[in-house]
Amino acid sequence: MSQGVRPTQQARSRETRDKLVRALDEKLRVKAFADVSIAELAEAAGLSVGAVYRRFENKDAFIPVIFELYRERLEAFMAGEGRIEIEPANGLRAALHTACRVAWSFLDKHGYLVRATHIYSRLRPDLVGDDWEAMLDQARQSADQLLDLFGDEVKRQDRVEAAQMFTYLMNTLPIERGIYREEGAAVVLTISDEQFVAAIADTLYGYLVTPDRHDD
Amino acid sequence: MSQGVRPTQQARSRETRDKLVRALDEKLRVKAFADVSIAELAEAAGLSVGAVYRRFENKDAFIPVIFELYRERLEAFMAGEGRIEIEPANGLRAALHTACRVAWSFLDKHGYLVRATHIYSRLRPDLVGDDWEAMLDQARQSADQLLDLFGDEVKRQDRVEAAQMFTYLMNTLPIERGIYREEGAAVVLTISDEQFVAAIADTLYGYLVTPDRHDD
Amino acid sequence: MSQGVRPTQQARSRETRDKLVRALDEKLRVKAFADVSIAELAEAAGLSVGAVYRRFENKDAFIPVIFELYRERLEAFMAGEGRIEIEPANGLRAALHTACRVAWSFLDKHGYLVRATHIYSRLRPDLVGDDWEAMLDQARQSADQLLDLFGDEVKRQDRVEAAQMFTYLMNTLPIERGIYREEGAAVVLTISDEQFVAAIADTLYGYLVTPDRHDD
Amino acid sequence: MSQGVRPTQQARSRETRDKLVRALDEKLRVKAFADVSIAELAEAAGLSVGAVYRRFENKDAFIPVIFELYRERLEAFMAGEGRIEIEPANGLRAALHTACRVAWSFLDKHGYLVRATHIYSRLRPDLVGDDWEAMLDQARQSADQLLDLFGDEVKRQDRVEAAQMFTYLMNTLPIERGIYREEGAAVVLTISDEQFVAAIADTLYGYLVTPDRHDD
DNA sequence: AATGAATGAGACTTCATTCAT
DNA sequence: CATGAATGAAGTCTCATTCAT
């Protein structure tokens, strides 16, 4: 094989992969990954079943793709409409409200991906590998910066713990309502989206400004 | 309908059902419901496949059983080791810490059931029906009482919203770490269980004592 | 066992059997025998599955019952509303029209039994045994009598053949439309029931009055 | 969609289908369709169960195939040995005898298909759809032509009714004996096939030449 | 290499029949 | 004896994966 062909093949290979990723994205909008068959995916991508197995060893090999999609969307969002301009002068609470509003708008648009990601980060953590941890770590670093920025308002002594908990809360609080809407624990809520977003922002705020407890 | 025979058969019938419920319980400890086949369940219960279908119309009919199990465990727990003695004199924060410790210890033991319940309250809300909502409503009522008890400490104006959010948070915050442990958003946490429990108690506390915000 | 009990038991046994026969009759009105399960039959008869198997060795043992039912109905019909008063003076054609009208009215009422009987006389001729042949033979004898009565009008030389064919036609011509109505060969017919009955009577008549062919 | 590959696959695909159709044909010679399992069919065709489901959505999807088989055989028959040369000069009766002989010889060879077709045109008229009606309609048109050809001999006033009844009779009279032989109403007949065929031809003839009745 | 036909294990479900109570 | 719970073979169908063309 002459070397001149490779780039073409690589390009074609990449293209094939992209088709599959797009097809998966489309499918995940309407059904769970477990309910998507390879044949279905192949058809949606305009490929044959055999071609799919040429790119992916087996069905499980698509799971990392879900994360890839998630990350792509998140990065695009953060670089675009999700870019947060924090105004230190307005204080921590305002910053958190802004952050929660932004997080909520991401969930609103890409909830189906967040759902799939969440499910498989639990169901098959082995297949997700470092991607997930890397993303969370990045989130933790952002949290660190935020805590530094409002160091005087934050009353938590242990900054490491605070950054971890902040990340944990940020990835936990809105999700339940954001991706499962009328099911799960969210059914107890009758408040509007706006009220809910404000409430979780206040929850984060409350955690950060509550001084450590000295007993128990 | 004659008496004298029925009781025996009913007992046998009940026993079969119990065997199946126990078998399901065992299986849920180690794998997801979707991955448990009827044949597997039958074998674990020491029954034939046909016997399963005499008690349960189809596989879906087991989903309510998961909730039943959950509720049973929860009630037994609440009546036993989970009974909370709230000492109003110690204040809201102490009460929340106690409540979270108790909730955590339930999750620690019955997390697999909570997981299955959570998954199916989302996946098949139609099959879960009112059970789930009834449980949440009961939780909301308990929240109401707690808020009343510490009415002077709570700064939230809208008590209805506060009770709802309290319930939502109580059913959301510990779950992620409690049932998925090393996976999901919880991987970011390096803190100990005790620290985590304290942190979420503080989070709840922070939410309740944070006064309403007057702008936006 | 004292002898005094027997009659009671026999009576009870008979009663059980009757219940089952009635239940089967009900079921055959709405579905095919193959689609009636033993459990269904037992329930409809107000009996247990075990009780059914005490009276009938297996499901196939019900097939003769279908014939029994058929014969009962036919005999009751012939003794009642189906009793034909043939007026020799009116001629063969009038007699046939009357006979066909009567046959049609039986089909109209008991078509579902005729259908089941027909199906099983083909599907499991071994289980039907002599019942079916006996019935047909009786019909043939009636045909014989009719041919004798109108001996001068009938032009068929071979009276044995004529009686057989008459029976065959009588059990064939109306059935198709009578029990399958809008399906099968009957879909080609747009004529009314009355016209149809008249047409098959004329068909029978035409056969009987057509002289033998002397060639080929 | 590229050419060069498809033909092969299409041929393979077609071949598989043909194998299944042939296997079905073989099975229908010896047992009812309902008693043929998919696994059995697959084995007879030298295929796996999955391959069957690639060609046919479900078992019901084979029912139209039965009709397809029937029609194929009928058309091949009509174009070959079943081609009827009607000699108008010999009259209606001779024509009918010829037609019945031909029909009988078809039944003799392909009775098992006719049986299956008849059963399913009743059992699942929804799956048979227009095929059946189309065939009957074609038969009715042939009947029309025949009646025209022998217009002077036919005494039935209503030609539309006569054509319909002729079709009905042609599809009813021989069938019973033709496809169920020693079972059903045919058991009453001790006459030979030749005599039987002559008798039904005379029956058809008798119907057509019997003038309308003017009373009742 | 690409295609999609074929494979075959395994899932759910039904129901005639048996048998413990 | 009656009851109806239990059995288990058999049927339909799905789909991840393999492989002939």
Side-chain angles (χ1 to χ4, degrees):
Chain A
M1 290 287 176
S2 70
Q3 276 204 327
V5 181
R6 273 293 162 75
T8 310
Q9 291 206 343
Q10 278 180 3
R12 205 212 279 183
S13 176
R14 177 80 213 169
E15 198 186 325
T16 299
R17 197 192 142 88
D18 286 350
K19 276 185 200 160
L20 282 167
V21 172
R22 274 197 300 277
L24 179 58
D25 183 42
E26 288 308 315
K27 292 296 176 186
L28 290 180
R29 284 174 207 266
V30 293
K31 53 164 77 176
F33 177 63
D35 296 331
V36 181
S37 74
I38 294 293
E40 188 181 359
L41 210 52
E43 178 162 17
L47 295 169
S48 68
V49 170
V52 176
Y53 276 88
R54 167 151 292 275
R55 300 295 155 218
F56 294 90
E57 194 185 346
N58 53 33
K59 196 180 172 184
D60 280 351
F62 278 95
I63 292 176
V65 172
I66 300 174
F67 287 80
E68 189 183 301
L69 271 171
Y70 181 27
R71 195 200 317 237
E72 262 175 28
R73 297 300 160 82
L74 188 58
E75 281 170 5
F77 182 83
M78 298 302 257
E81 56 184 314
R83 176 186 303 280
I84 306 176
E85 294 298 332
I86 286 182
E87 187 56 68
N90 291 343
L92 174 61
R93 197 169 183 183
L96 293 174
H97 275 258
T98 302
C100 285
R101 251 197 314 270
V102 167
W104 183 257
S105 102
F106 182 76
L107 273 178
D108 218 31
K109 284 203 192 62
H110 307 290
Y112 68 101
L113 271 181
V114 182
R115 172 166 46 210
T117 304
H118 269 246
I119 288 174
Y120 281 91
S121 69
R122 285 149 188 73
L123 235 43
R124 304 298 306 270
D126 52 315
L127 294 175
V128 172
D130 305 326
D131 286 0
W132 182 245
E133 292 196 33
M135 277 177 57
L136 278 177
D137 199 60
Q138 202 173 331
R140 195 188 43 68
Q141 286 174 34
S142 302
D144 264 333
Q145 291 170 17
L146 193 84
L147 298 191
D148 279 349
L149 200 57
F150 298 99
D152 50 341
E153 284 193 73
V154 175
K155 296 294 180 278
R156 289 275 139 190
Q157 296 268 335
D158 186 337
R159 283 298 165 92
V160 171
E161 176 187 313
Q164 289 181 3
M165 276 302 293
F166 182 84
T167 308
Y168 176 83
L169 293 172
M170 203 67 180
N171 274 281
T172 302
L173 289 177
I175 300 283
E176 184 68 27
R177 173 168 172 141
I179 71 183
Y180 296 114
R181 291 277 158 185
E182 305 299 299
E183 295 114 38
V187 298
V188 81
L189 301 170
T190 62
I191 58 181
S192 70
D193 280 2
E194 286 70 29
Q195 285 176 295
F196 173 71
V197 171
I200 61 175
D202 280 354
T203 303
L204 280 164
Y205 178 71
Y207 167 69
L208 293 176
V209 302
T210 297
D212 291 29
R213 195 162 161 250
H214 294 294
D215 60 65
D216 176 60
Chain B
M1 298 288 174
S2 70
Q3 287 184 326
V5 180
R6 242 344 131 69
T8 311
Q9 300 238 349
Q10 276 181 359
R12 196 184 180 194
S13 182
R14 176 82 211 170
E15 198 184 322
T16 297
R17 197 195 137 91
D18 287 350
K19 275 184 201 161
L20 284 167
V21 172
R22 272 198 302 276
L24 178 60
D25 186 42
E26 290 306 318
K27 290 295 175 184
L28 290 181
R29 283 175 209 267
V30 293
K31 53 164 74 179
F33 177 64
D35 296 331
V36 181
S37 76
I38 294 293
E40 188 180 358
L41 209 52
E43 179 163 15
L47 293 167
S48 67
V49 169
V52 177
Y53 279 91
R54 167 157 281 271
R55 287 310 135 211
F56 295 91
E57 194 183 346
N58 51 35
K59 196 182 170 185
D60 279 352
F62 278 98
I63 292 176
V65 171
I66 300 174
F67 285 78
E68 192 183 297
L69 273 171
Y70 180 27
R71 196 204 308 246
E72 262 177 28
R73 298 299 161 82
L74 188 59
E75 280 170 5
F77 182 83
M78 298 301 256
E81 56 183 314
R83 177 184 302 281
I84 308 176
E85 294 298 331
I86 285 183
E87 186 57 66
N90 291 342
L92 174 61
R93 198 170 182 181
L96 294 174
H97 276 258
T98 303
C100 285
R101 252 198 313 274
V102 167
W104 183 258
S105 101
F106 181 77
L107 273 179
D108 215 33
K109 285 206 191 61
H110 307 290
Y112 68 99
L113 271 182
V114 181
R115 172 167 46 209
T117 303
H118 269 246
I119 287 175
Y120 280 92
S121 70
R122 285 153 189 70
L123 236 43
R124 302 298 304 271
D126 52 316
L127 294 176
V128 172
D130 306 327
D131 287 1
W132 181 245
E133 291 196 33
M135 279 178 58
L136 278 177
D137 200 61
Q138 202 174 328
R140 196 189 43 70
Q141 286 175 33
S142 302
D144 264 333
Q145 290 170 17
L146 194 84
L147 298 190
D148 279 348
L149 199 58
F150 298 100
D152 49 341
E153 282 193 76
V154 174
K155 295 294 179 279
R156 290 272 139 193
Q157 295 270 335
D158 186 336
R159 283 298 164 90
V160 172
E161 177 187 315
Q164 288 180 5
M165 276 302 294
F166 182 85
T167 308
Y168 176 82
L169 293 171
M170 203 67 180
N171 275 282
T172 302
L173 290 177
I175 299 282
E176 186 67 27
R177 173 170 172 138
I179 70 183
Y180 297 113
R181 291 277 159 186
E182 305 300 299
E183 297 114 35
V187 299
V188 80
L189 302 170
T190 62
I191 58 180
S192 70
D193 279 1
E194 285 71 27
Q195 284 176 293
F196 174 71
V197 171
I200 60 174
D202 279 354
T203 303
L204 280 165
Y205 178 70
Y207 168 70
L208 293 175
V209 302
T210 297
D212 290 30
R213 194 164 161 249
H214 294 297
D215 57 67
D216 168 79
Chain C
M1 288 287 178
S2 70
Q3 276 206 325
V5 181
R6 275 293 161 78
T8 310
Q9 293 206 343
Q10 279 180 1
R12 206 213 275 184
S13 176
R14 178 79 212 169
E15 196 184 327
T16 299
R17 198 192 141 88
D18 286 350
K19 276 185 200 161
L20 282 166
V21 172
R22 272 197 301 276
L24 179 58
D25 184 42
E26 289 306 316
K27 291 296 175 185
L28 290 180
R29 283 175 207 265
V30 293
K31 52 164 77 177
F33 177 64
D35 296 332
V36 181
S37 73
I38 295 293
E40 188 181 358
L41 210 52
E43 178 162 17
L47 295 169
S48 67
V49 170
V52 176
Y53 275 88
R54 168 150 292 278
R55 299 297 153 217
F56 294 91
E57 193 185 348
N58 52 34
K59 196 182 171 184
D60 280 350
F62 278 95
I63 292 176
V65 171
I66 299 175
F67 287 79
E68 189 183 302
L69 270 171
Y70 181 29
R71 197 206 306 249
E72 263 176 27
R73 297 300 159 82
L74 188 58
E75 281 170 4
F77 182 82
M78 298 302 256
E81 54 183 316
R83 176 185 302 282
I84 306 176
E85 294 297 332
I86 286 184
E87 186 57 67
N90 290 344
L92 174 60
R93 198 171 183 182
L96 293 174
H97 276 258
T98 303
C100 285
R101 254 198 312 271
V102 167
W104 183 257
S105 102
F106 182 76
L107 272 179
D108 217 32
K109 285 204 192 63
H110 307 290
Y112 68 99
L113 270 181
V114 182
R115 173 166 44 210
T117 303
H118 269 246
I119 288 174
Y120 281 92
S121 69
R122 285 150 188 73
L123 235 44
R124 303 297 306 268
D126 53 315
L127 295 175
V128 172
D130 305 328
D131 287 359
W132 182 245
E133 291 195 34
M135 278 177 59
L136 279 176
D137 200 59
Q138 201 172 333
R140 196 189 43 71
Q141 285 174 34
S142 301
D144 264 335
Q145 290 170 19
L146 193 83
L147 297 191
D148 280 348
L149 200 56
F150 297 99
D152 50 340
E153 281 194 75
V154 175
K155 295 294 180 278
R156 291 272 138 194
Q157 295 272 333
D158 187 336
R159 284 298 165 91
V160 172
E161 177 187 314
Q164 289 180 4
M165 276 302 293
F166 182 85
T167 308
Y168 176 82
L169 293 172
M170 202 68 180
N171 274 282
T172 302
L173 289 178
I175 300 284
E176 185 68 27
R177 173 170 173 139
I179 70 184
Y180 296 113
R181 292 277 159 186
E182 303 300 298
E183 294 116 36
V187 298
V188 81
L189 301 171
T190 63
I191 58 180
S192 70
D193 280 2
E194 285 71 28
Q195 284 176 293
F196 174 71
V197 171
I200 61 174
D202 280 354
T203 303
L204 281 164
Y205 178 71
Y207 167 71
L208 292 176
V209 302
T210 296
D212 290 30
R213 194 161 160 251
H214 294 296
D215 60 65
D216 175 62
Chain D
M1 298 291 171
S2 70
Q3 286 183 327
V5 181
R6 243 342 132 69
T8 311
Q9 300 241 350
Q10 276 182 2
R12 196 183 179 193
S13 183
R14 176 80 211 170
E15 199 184 322
T16 298
R17 196 195 138 91
D18 287 349
K19 276 186 201 160
L20 283 166
V21 172
R22 273 198 300 276
L24 178 59
D25 185 42
E26 289 307 317
K27 290 295 176 186
L28 290 181
R29 283 174 208 268
V30 294
K31 53 163 74 176
F33 176 65
D35 296 332
V36 181
S37 76
I38 294 293
E40 188 180 357
L41 209 52
E43 180 163 15
L47 293 167
S48 66
V49 169
V52 176
Y53 279 92
R54 166 159 282 270
R55 287 311 134 209
F56 294 91
E57 195 184 345
N58 51 36
K59 196 182 170 184
D60 280 352
F62 278 98
I63 292 176
V65 171
I66 300 174
F67 285 78
E68 192 183 298
L69 274 170
Y70 180 27
R71 198 204 306 245
E72 262 177 29
R73 299 297 161 82
L74 188 58
E75 280 170 6
F77 182 83
M78 298 302 257
E81 56 183 313
R83 177 185 302 280
I84 307 176
E85 294 297 331
I86 286 183
E87 187 55 69
N90 291 343
L92 174 61
R93 197 170 183 181
L96 293 174
H97 276 258
T98 303
C100 286
R101 251 198 313 273
V102 167
W104 182 257
S105 102
F106 182 77
L107 273 179
D108 215 33
K109 286 203 190 63
H110 307 291
Y112 68 98
L113 272 181
V114 182
R115 172 168 45 209
T117 304
H118 270 247
I119 287 174
Y120 280 91
S121 70
R122 287 151 186 71
L123 235 43
R124 303 298 305 271
D126 52 314
L127 294 176
V128 172
D130 305 327
D131 287 0
W132 182 245
E133 292 197 32
M135 279 176 57
L136 278 177
D137 199 60
Q138 203 173 330
R140 194 188 44 69
Q141 285 175 33
S142 301
D144 264 333
Q145 290 170 17
L146 194 84
L147 297 191
D148 279 347
L149 200 57
F150 298 100
D152 50 340
E153 283 194 72
V154 175
K155 295 294 180 279
R156 290 273 139 193
Q157 296 269 336
D158 187 337
R159 284 298 163 92
V160 172
E161 177 187 316
Q164 289 179 4
M165 276 302 295
F166 181 84
T167 307
Y168 176 83
L169 293 172
M170 203 67 180
N171 274 281
T172 303
L173 289 177
I175 300 281
E176 185 68 26
R177 173 168 173 142
I179 69 183
Y180 297 113
R181 292 276 158 188
E182 305 299 299
E183 297 114 35
V187 299
V188 81
L189 301 170
T190 62
I191 58 181
S192 71
D193 279 1
E194 286 70 28
Q195 285 177 293
F196 174 71
V197 171
I200 60 174
D202 280 353
T203 303
L204 279 164
Y205 179 70
Y207 167 70
L208 293 176
V209 302
T210 297
D212 292 30
R213 196 162 160 248
H214 295 294
D215 59 64
D216 177 66

